Amino acid sequence: MSDIPPDLTWERAAPPDATGPGPWIELAFGEGDDGEAPVYIRETSDPENVVTTNRRKWDAFVLGVQAGEFDHFVEGVEDATDTTAAEMTNTTAPDITAIEPDTPDAPDA
């Protein structure tokens, strides 16, 4: 955790009508605006556990969600009342719809 900048601005990705403490996912974008700039992800219930990726991979993930590539993960989930993963990206706190990807290629798995 020592390599995580202490002055990050965390943005909570929760539906606008969400109440209570969550748990919710929070995002913070590190310094830089190139594809290698860090993106930090954590869950509000465990804020000390931070996953780090880069902007290029994050942008590819967001584009995949918006394209419905992950909808099968929410199929049959009772709490996901007629809401696809792609629809959920349009109601989260961070404005991820305006992200311009550095490359249209998906990241290597």
Side-chain angles (χ1 to χ4, degrees):
M1 177 91 177
S2 61
D3 59 339
I4 307 298
D7 60 342
L8 291 171
T9 301
W10 293 93
E11 299 181 57
R12 186 165 294 174
D17 59 346
T19 59
W24 310 112
I25 299 296
E26 292 181 318
L27 304 169
F29 295 93
E31 290 187 29
D33 56 5
D34 64 345
E36 298 306 312
V39 176
Y40 304 96
I41 307 165
R42 69 182 183 185
E43 189 175 343
T44 55
S45 64
D46 187 12
E48 297 300 313
N49 187 10
V50 178
V51 175
T52 304
T53 189
N54 64 37
R55 188 63 180 252
R56 179 182 51 83
K57 292 177 182 178
W58 174 252
D59 291 349
F61 170 73
V62 169
L63 291 172
V65 169
Q66 290 173 335
E69 293 178 21
F70 305 103
D71 288 354
H72 64 281
F73 288 112
V74 295
E75 289 175 2
V77 177
E78 292 178 29
D79 290 338
T81 56
D82 297 327
T83 302
T84 66
E87 290 169 332
M88 292 173 68
T89 63
N90 293 324
T91 61
T92 57
D95 183 10
I96 59 177
T97 59
I99 294 174
E100 291 293 329
D102 291 332
T103 176
D105 298 333
D108 296 333

